[in-house]
Amino acid sequence: MSLERNLIDSDCSVSRGCGAILQLLQPRTEDLGGFSVRRSLPTRQLRNIGPWIFFDHMGPAEFAAGEGVNVRPHPHINMATVTYLFEGEILHRDSIGSVQTITPGDLNLMVAGSGIVHSERETLAVRNRPHRTHGLQLWLALPEDKEEVAPAFYHYPSAQLPQVQVGQVSVRVMMGAAYGLQSPVLCYSPTLYVEARLPSGAALELPNAHERGLYLLSGRLLIGESEVRAHTMVCLRETPGVMIHALENAQVALIGGAPLGKRYIDWNFVSSSMPRIKAARESWRAQEFPRIPKDSEEFIPYPDSD
């Protein structure tokens, strides 16, 4: 299904001079227990942008000593998570034995495939002092023939993610290829994820993709005649040569790629098959998923069983 056919209504149309803009989406706030996130995907208006089916902006959140991120073990199937931090640290553990602290500039890719359980907490050293957390977590649909691959976890340190200066703009290519750079991060289908920091007055031409969404983390942008403010997801047409102009210092994340068809989402389960989701749901209720070594005493119940 194309991006334009996915849209239900629009705050911005070509007839109003927005040019490349299909729609402006405002995130809703979701409470994750102890902290909240801004969720731009999925929404009633838009289910996905290319293979991207979930987009959470975490923070910036301030935590007092003794508080912080503490997401108990929970399951996923048939998709992948992508986690990237600007500030703070998160300790990832999963049921295939991965134990990895992610720090600012690193990227974690967790492929749920046939099924994985993970937790996202903080080390005691971080939790026992006042601290901040700020980052993005995104979900990727997997192609149907890859949905049941063996679960896997990949950590990419900051130094492995390519960066380039495009005029005045600092650009980092997180996934896919853009600006003459190729990210080493594993992709299962055509995927784009780029982050950029624009000083006030700077401009950047966006790489093209079959479907694209631009999320403004901070600052203000001009796209054509349209001003875009912080925490807005901009859905873009497949139009070459789209320029963004920073009206003040701005930080953006661009996502895109080829769509993979309809995906069902039920809590933390994502799949092209509803029977597969129902089976995973019953398996989690029965606690038949594999457990996380050294983090198996707690878990998040399926919502209707709280």
Side-chain angles (χ1 to χ4, degrees):
M1 181 178 291
S2 73
L3 182 61
E4 293 201 44
R5 284 183 287 138
N6 254 337
L7 298 177
I8 295 174
D9 54 26
S10 177
D11 299 318
C12 179
S13 66
V14 174
S15 64
R16 291 169 60 188
C18 299
I21 297 177
L22 276 168
Q23 189 177 38
L24 303 176
L25 297 174
Q26 300 303 321
R28 66 186 186 276
T29 301
E30 294 285 342
D31 184 4
L32 297 189
F35 73 107
S36 61
V37 299
R38 298 178 184 88
R39 182 162 298 165
S40 297
L41 287 177
T43 68
R44 181 180 65 85
Q45 297 94 338
L46 186 63
R47 303 298 295 174
N48 62 280
I49 297 175
W52 300 98
I53 54 176
F54 184 95
F55 190 106
D56 268 6
H57 178 195
M58 306 179 288
E62 302 268 0
F63 294 110
E67 300 178 353
V69 177
N70 188 31
V71 181
R72 294 168 291 163
H74 58 281
H76 294 286
I77 61 164
N78 291 186
M79 43 77 78
T81 66
V82 177
T83 305
Y84 183 80
L85 293 184
F86 306 111
E87 296 179 80
E89 291 184 12
I90 294 178
L91 177 63
H92 166 96
R93 293 181 184 269
D94 63 42
S95 54
I96 61 172
S98 311
V99 180
Q100 179 66 57
T101 299
I102 182 172
T103 59
D106 302 343
L107 184 146
N108 279 358
L109 173 68
M110 185 186 75
V111 181
S114 60
I116 199 169
V117 178
H118 76 132
S119 62
E120 295 160 297
R121 305 186 189 263
E122 291 172 336
T123 63
L124 288 177
V126 171
R127 195 174 183 84
N128 287 341
R129 66 173 189 267
H131 59 283
R132 285 166 56 96
T133 299
H134 185 205
L136 297 176
Q137 186 170 85
L138 301 82
W139 293 1
L140 273 169
L142 297 176
E144 287 189 37
D145 63 348
K146 302 294 184 184
E147 285 185 314
E148 296 292 340
V149 297
F153 178 81
Y154 305 91
H155 175 74
Y156 298 88
S158 178
Q160 292 184 10
L161 302 176
Q163 299 184 72
V164 66
Q165 197 73 18
V166 181
Q168 297 176 275
V169 181
S170 175
V171 173
R172 175 171 262 199
V173 179
M174 315 296 290
M175 299 182 73
Y179 303 105
L181 301 176
Q182 175 69 55
S183 169
V185 177
L186 176 66
C187 294
Y188 287 88
S189 66
T191 303
L192 181 67
Y193 175 14
V194 172
E195 292 183 357
R197 296 174 187 260
L198 295 82
S200 181
L204 179 69
E205 181 176 339
L206 300 180
N208 208 7
H210 185 63
E211 294 184 356
R212 290 176 298 179
L214 179 84
Y215 181 77
L216 183 55
L217 288 121
S218 62
R220 290 186 301 133
L221 290 178
L222 196 64
I223 304 177
E225 300 173 9
S226 300
E227 181 178 327
V228 178
R229 296 184 178 273
H231 309 146
T232 301
M233 175 69 79
V234 184
C235 305
L236 296 163
R237 296 183 184 278
E238 191 180 352
T239 304
V242 174
M243 299 290 297
I244 60 174
H245 301 263
L247 298 175
E248 58 190 43
N249 292 346
Q251 183 178 5
V252 302
L254 179 73
I255 58 173
L260 296 176
K262 184 173 182 177
R263 292 296 184 272
Y264 299 97
I265 302 178
D266 178 5
W267 189 48
N268 295 312
F269 302 126
V270 175
S271 180
S272 61
S273 166
M274 182 53 75
R276 179 68 178 92
I277 284 183
K278 290 179 178 178
R281 185 170 60 207
E282 294 310 310
S283 180
W284 183 248
R285 283 174 170 150
Q287 283 297 287
E288 295 171 347
F289 271 76
R291 296 180 180 273
I292 302 173
K294 298 184 179 180
D295 194 357
S296 61
E297 295 182 3
E298 299 180 295
F299 65 93
I300 302 177
Y302 183 78
D304 70 4
S305 60
D306 281 332

